[in-house]
Amino acid sequence: MRTLKFLLRKEFKQIFRNKGLLPMIFVAPVIQLLILPLAADYEVKGINISIVDHDHSTYSQQLISKVTASGYFQLADYGNSFQGAFKQIEKDKSDLILEIPQGFEKNLARESHEKLFVAVNAINGVKAGLGGAYLAQIISDYNNDIRMEWVQQLKFNPIPQIEVTSSNWFNPHLNYRFFMVPGILAVLITMIGAYMCALNIVKEKETGTIEQINVTPIKKYQFVLGKLIPFWIIGIFIFSVGLFIVARWVYGIVPVGSLLLLYGYMSLYLVALLGLGLLISTFSDTQQQAMSITFFFIMIFMLMSGLFTSIDSMPTWAYYIARLNPVTYFIEVVRMIVLKEAVCRHQKSFPDHGWFCCVSEWFGNLEL
Amino acid sequence: MESWKLKMENDQKYSQLSTIHSQFSIKMVTVNNIVKAYNKGEVKAVNDVSFEVSKGELFGLIGADGAGKTSIFRILTTLLLPDSGTASVNGFDVVKDYKTIRKNVGYMPGKFSLYQDLSVEENLNFFATVFNTTVAENYDLVKDIYVQLEPFKTRRAGKLSGGMKQKLALCCALIHRPTVLFLDEPTTGVDVVSRKEFWEMLKSLKQQGITILVSTPYMDEATLCEHIALIQNGSIMSIDTPYNIIKKFPDTLFAVRADNMGRLQNALRNNPQIKSCFSFGDFHHVTMENGKLRMENLVTSLKNDGFNDLEIKEITPTIEDCFMNLMDNK
């Protein structure tokens, strides 16, 4: 016990004396938490649209003003040739083309039927999909308006219509940051845990101090605990700073769920993650190697964690990879507890998690 | 020259004494037919090595870089498993009783391996604590060395000079009062004055009854040990006291000097009657084939070759001469 206490004291001394590492641990997460959620915004605004109007009628004018008034679209170009509009897309000045055919108003009035043409630049899939969908919605609204206008005359027989009103739960204003902040917080803890732990142990290998330690009566578990506990504490500290200072005062996110459950889960998660760091450190001899291996894992963990893309919409094989990924669970848990007041039985992930942490810990121990 | 002879006589007496002594004394380290190969058996780092070290002895492993010294040390300090053979330290097997050995030995690796970001004091305290002791408890053992470090005790270990680092490392290896001390190339990369000081420290430690195994690539340090093992390519070429090793040198050795040393070496090496010729500082050390050639003949033949300022004298071989000779015979 005395040995462990001394190992911990030594470890903290070393961490706090490392002038290069200290800001990385304590300042970088706060800055990232301030920048990333503001930048990583999924709401698509300011889509540039080119409108090709062959009709120049009242109806076409009405449609155009409805499109531009929606707030989603900026009129980049208004002309009467599709080729001209397409050039705008090629120059990347516009994302969408709406072509209104000649005789739009006439055909609509006479035959109650007309076709519009929409061309979308689909290089950015999200923008294309959302832009197309917004436009389609505006057009169908417009369509309804026209129908209402005509049908008003037949007051006795109104057209039955289903109106949809939605109510947004847990994030009533559809604030994207509410979704991103807990996720990014989870990722930051992941990075700090895995990187710092792996690098720290490999550093002992690099400087040869591990040799010196090996010839002492320090037991393996003491050495491992001496390495894990400091980063476990630092991880929890950073998470708390992120949650109670940055998320609370900058983004106004107040966790609604049980803090005890959140911290309990995080304690377990950090053990798993530090275990991964430990495992990586046993395979690498230099900090450079450790850095590369950790980077590889963190990259996969992050992109397959549901931070940016929903894992439910992944292909089946990818879904299963994501299900093996501890970060997936942690992000989910943090989001659910912070935003939704989830309780333990909502979380199916505990067994998976325990499994992961046991395996990595065991391997790490074995190799060291 | 007189003092040299006196030293040799002393050494001789001492050598006889220590031979008698070693027959009765306790063996602190025994190594039996240790083999260690790397790269799946391609490189034999340690090849069938056996030796014994008695209690309170200063034992030197002398060999060039890559001779296998570090591997032997790592096996003895339980950091490396031998492929075959047995070894014991203080009566404990290096494989089975590695835990006991780790409590009782001090190891100072060739590379400085203390925490560079901890201060001198903190390093020493740390190592005392992990061995479940305190600095105060064994201060008498490290006192002579630590007083030199005292003025820098709050300085980070990484900021110390090379010689100071070595002293600190030695303190840290000693702080738990080990029975056997392993020093892997402690004087490599250290200046001449610090080297000398370091050997003085080892001598005083020996008087405290600590058995010391030291490895070094510097042949001049060999005479400072009581017993030495000369190793080359993982095998021991000779184990004895430095005096006996020198005594076993088979030929008469001459030192030769002339105005053009480079040409002289070629001339000597091309002479069929010269057995060996190695360059040693200002002189070439030369042995003759079967002792046939007389010194006078050599002088005449070299003078005929046009060498001026010729100087030839018979000398007592050094350990380095013995090492070269043993290597040549292999």
Side-chain angles (χ1 to χ4, degrees):
Chain A
M1 214 48 214
R2 187 165 158 257
T3 311
L4 185 60
K5 205 180 89 192
F6 237 80
L7 278 170
L8 289 177
R9 195 185 294 173
K10 176 215 102 184
E11 212 58 59
F12 274 113
K13 262 184 198 160
Q14 285 187 303
I15 292 167
F16 283 102
R17 276 181 196 174
N18 196 330
K19 293 282 174 288
L21 196 66
L22 210 58
M24 276 308 292
I25 296 181
F26 293 105
V27 182
V30 174
I31 293 177
Q32 285 173 342
L33 207 52
L34 287 176
I35 294 173
L36 292 180
L38 294 175
D41 195 333
Y42 255 22
E43 281 180 54
V44 178
K45 286 178 199 134
I47 304 167
N48 296 313
I49 188 165
S50 292
I51 294 178
V52 183
D53 188 358
H54 297 295
D55 197 39
H56 301 288
S57 60
T58 327
Y59 273 25
S60 77
Q61 287 305 322
Q62 273 176 6
L63 178 60
I64 291 165
S65 64
K66 198 164 172 69
V67 168
T68 48
S70 67
Y72 293 116
F73 297 101
Q74 275 171 357
L75 191 60
D77 181 49
Y78 177 79
N80 47 20
S81 100
F82 185 77
Q83 266 69 30
F86 198 74
K87 285 241 159 55
Q88 295 293 317
I89 287 206
E90 281 178 335
K91 285 184 200 154
D92 215 19
K93 284 193 175 146
S94 118
D95 305 302
L96 274 171
I97 303 175
L98 172 66
E99 192 178 21
I100 301 168
Q102 205 174 2
F104 173 67
E105 187 182 275
K106 196 173 72 189
N107 288 342
L108 201 61
R110 195 177 296 165
E111 294 168 29
S112 313
H113 181 76
E114 183 52 294
K115 281 178 178 160
L116 286 168
F117 179 69
V118 176
V120 188
N121 175 8
I123 286 177
N124 182 342
V126 177
K127 208 171 185 180
L130 285 175
Y134 289 157
L135 192 60
Q137 204 184 349
I138 291 166
I139 293 171
S140 97
D141 269 4
Y142 175 70
N143 193 8
N144 275 336
D145 290 351
I146 299 173
R147 285 167 82 180
M148 293 300 279
E149 208 177 292
W150 291 347
V151 172
Q152 258 173 6
Q153 294 144 11
L154 321 159
K155 267 182 189 157
F156 307 103
N157 189 11
I159 290 181
Q161 244 188 334
I162 297 175
E163 199 180 325
V164 182
T165 352
S166 58
S167 148
N168 298 317
W169 278 60
F170 309 120
N171 184 1
H173 302 294
L174 288 180
N175 187 341
Y176 196 68
R177 284 165 213 158
F178 277 38
F179 180 69
M180 284 311 281
V181 170
I184 287 173
L185 199 54
V187 167
L188 287 180
I189 305 300
T190 309
M191 283 172 63
I192 285 171
Y195 267 113
M196 298 302 160
C197 181
L199 288 184
N200 190 285
I201 299 176
V202 175
K203 191 183 160 202
E204 295 245 356
K205 272 192 187 175
E206 245 181 19
T207 53
T209 42
I210 204 161
E211 293 274 271
Q212 197 86 63
I213 293 288
N214 275 341
V215 213
T216 67
I218 291 181
K219 291 184 183 65
K220 210 187 274 174
Y221 82 89
Q222 289 173 329
F223 183 76
V224 170
L225 282 180
K227 285 288 169 200
L228 299 190
I229 293 173
F231 293 103
W232 188 79
I233 293 174
I234 289 173
I236 289 184
F237 174 77
I238 291 171
F239 186 84
S240 309
V241 169
L243 188 65
F244 294 114
I245 298 176
V246 182
R248 173 78 183 80
W249 298 106
V250 178
Y251 298 106
I253 299 171
V254 183
V256 290
S258 150
L259 284 179
L260 191 71
L261 182 63
L262 183 61
Y263 274 82
Y265 193 86
M266 182 171 53
S267 309
L268 187 70
Y269 174 71
L270 273 171
V271 171
L273 213 64
L274 294 170
L276 176 75
L278 186 68
L279 184 65
I280 290 169
S281 72
T282 60
F283 288 121
S284 25
D285 294 318
T286 62
Q287 293 193 53
Q288 195 184 20
Q289 282 174 11
M291 198 81 180
S292 317
I293 300 175
T294 320
F295 185 73
F296 169 77
F297 278 109
I298 293 287
M299 210 60 193
I300 290 183
F301 278 1
M302 257 177 76
L303 294 180
M304 301 208 68
S305 66
L307 174 65
F308 300 111
T309 47
S310 163
I311 60 162
D312 294 316
S313 54
M314 285 178 185
T316 323
W317 58 268
Y319 176 82
Y320 284 112
I321 295 176
R323 278 284 148 207
L324 283 174
N325 177 358
V327 185
T328 310
Y329 297 106
F330 189 53
I331 289 183
E332 199 176 302
V333 166
V334 175
R335 275 177 184 160
M336 293 308 129
I337 296 179
V338 170
L339 301 179
K340 203 177 149 187
E341 208 183 342
V343 289
C344 213
R345 69 190 142 81
H346 293 154
Q347 307 305 333
K348 290 168 286 186
S349 50
F350 276 99
D352 300 286
H353 221 102
W355 165 84
F356 184 82
C357 104
C358 286
V359 169
S360 55
E361 215 71 25
W362 179 73
F363 267 114
N365 251 313
L366 207 69
E367 296 281 331
L368 207 70
Chain B
M1 212 54 200
E2 280 304 305
S3 68
W4 168 249
K5 266 184 188 156
L6 203 67
K7 186 176 184 307
M8 285 299 278
E9 272 165 24
N10 274 338
D11 279 0
Q12 183 177 11
K13 273 182 212 156
Y14 183 77
S15 162
Q16 284 162 351
L17 270 175
S18 77
T19 316
I20 299 163
H21 182 70
S22 66
Q23 278 164 0
F24 297 103
S25 64
I26 312 153
K27 300 282 177 257
M28 284 308 274
V29 178
T30 48
V31 177
N32 294 314
N33 312 99
I34 286 285
V35 176
K36 179 74 198 178
Y38 296 113
N39 287 353
K40 291 170 187 152
E42 272 175 36
V43 188
K44 280 236 163 89
V46 182
N47 194 2
D48 201 16
V49 164
S50 306
F51 62 86
E52 283 178 335
V53 184
S54 312
K55 190 172 167 61
E57 192 180 1
L58 180 53
F59 187 91
L61 279 175
I62 320 285
D65 292 339
K69 303 185 296 282
T70 303
S71 294
I72 294 174
F73 270 40
R74 285 171 55 91
I75 288 170
L76 288 174
T77 48
T78 74
L79 291 171
L80 198 63
L81 290 171
D83 293 341
S84 68
T86 57
S88 69
V89 176
N90 204 0
F92 299 105
D93 188 86
V94 289
V95 183
K96 272 183 284 174
D97 310 315
Y98 72 96
K99 280 185 180 160
T100 327
I101 292 179
R102 287 181 181 184
K103 279 181 200 149
N104 293 315
V105 301
Y107 175 46
M108 184 174 143
K111 196 180 142 204
F112 181 70
S113 313
L114 299 178
Y115 291 103
Q116 314 241 4
D117 37 9
L118 294 184
S119 72
V120 169
E121 215 175 9
E122 284 163 346
N123 264 302
L124 197 61
N125 269 322
F126 176 75
F127 283 99
T129 315
V130 296
F131 280 104
N132 246 321
T133 176
T134 57
V135 176
E137 211 170 303
N138 295 315
Y139 188 69
D140 59 303
L141 196 62
V142 294
K143 189 175 160 252
D144 293 339
I145 313 164
Y146 192 67
V147 285
Q148 302 175 46
L149 288 165
E150 197 101 55
F152 315 106
K153 67 180 179 185
T154 51
R155 194 182 285 189
R156 304 269 163 90
K159 298 256 191 310
L160 292 172
S161 66
M164 285 294 173
K165 275 184 183 165
Q166 292 304 86
K167 280 170 196 158
L168 176 61
L170 185 61
C171 279
C172 289
L174 277 171
I175 198 64
H176 59 293
R177 204 177 281 277
T179 51
V180 186
L181 187 60
F182 293 92
L183 308 170
D184 192 5
E185 302 202 4
T187 52
T188 301
V190 175
D191 68 88
V192 188
V193 181
S194 296
R195 268 168 67 184
K196 210 162 166 256
E197 277 176 14
F198 199 85
W199 279 95
E200 291 300 320
M201 286 178 224
L202 295 191
K203 268 187 192 161
S204 68
L205 285 174
K206 204 178 79 70
Q207 277 156 12
Q208 307 235 26
I210 295 175
T211 311
I212 303 169
L213 263 82
V214 57
S215 77
T216 175
Y218 302 123
M219 305 288 166
D220 54 322
E221 290 177 341
T223 46
L224 302 166
C225 303
E226 286 156 31
H227 275 88
I228 53 171
L230 301 179
I231 28 175
Q232 177 67 18
N233 294 330
S235 313
I236 291 189
M237 299 191 293
S238 177
I239 308 181
D240 216 323
T241 60
Y243 172 79
N244 283 342
I245 284 185
I246 289 169
K247 213 170 71 178
K248 275 192 235 160
F249 193 79
D251 307 293
T252 324
L253 191 71
F254 297 98
V256 185
R257 183 161 77 171
D259 53 352
N260 189 338
M261 293 298 279
R263 202 162 68 83
L264 180 66
Q265 188 171 28
N266 285 335
L268 287 166
R269 284 198 171 155
N270 291 331
N271 190 333
Q273 285 161 315
I274 301 285
K275 196 173 162 189
S276 70
C277 167
F278 295 107
S279 167
F280 279 77
D282 290 348
F283 289 89
H284 291 313
H285 287 191
V286 172
T287 57
M288 318 262 182
E289 204 66 71
N290 302 324
K292 263 182 203 164
L293 193 70
R294 302 276 302 273
M295 200 160 86
E296 298 82 58
N297 299 357
L298 185 64
V299 175
T300 357
S301 92
L302 285 175
K303 271 190 180 155
N304 288 341
D305 285 346
F307 289 103
N308 298 316
D309 306 328
L310 210 59
E311 191 186 338
I312 301 187
K313 58 185 178 186
E314 198 179 322
I315 50 160
T316 319
T318 63
I319 294 292
E320 197 166 349
D321 291 307
C322 300
F323 192 87
M324 294 301 214
N325 177 51
L326 286 164
M327 257 176 73
D328 244 25
N329 289 351
K330 268 180 90 183

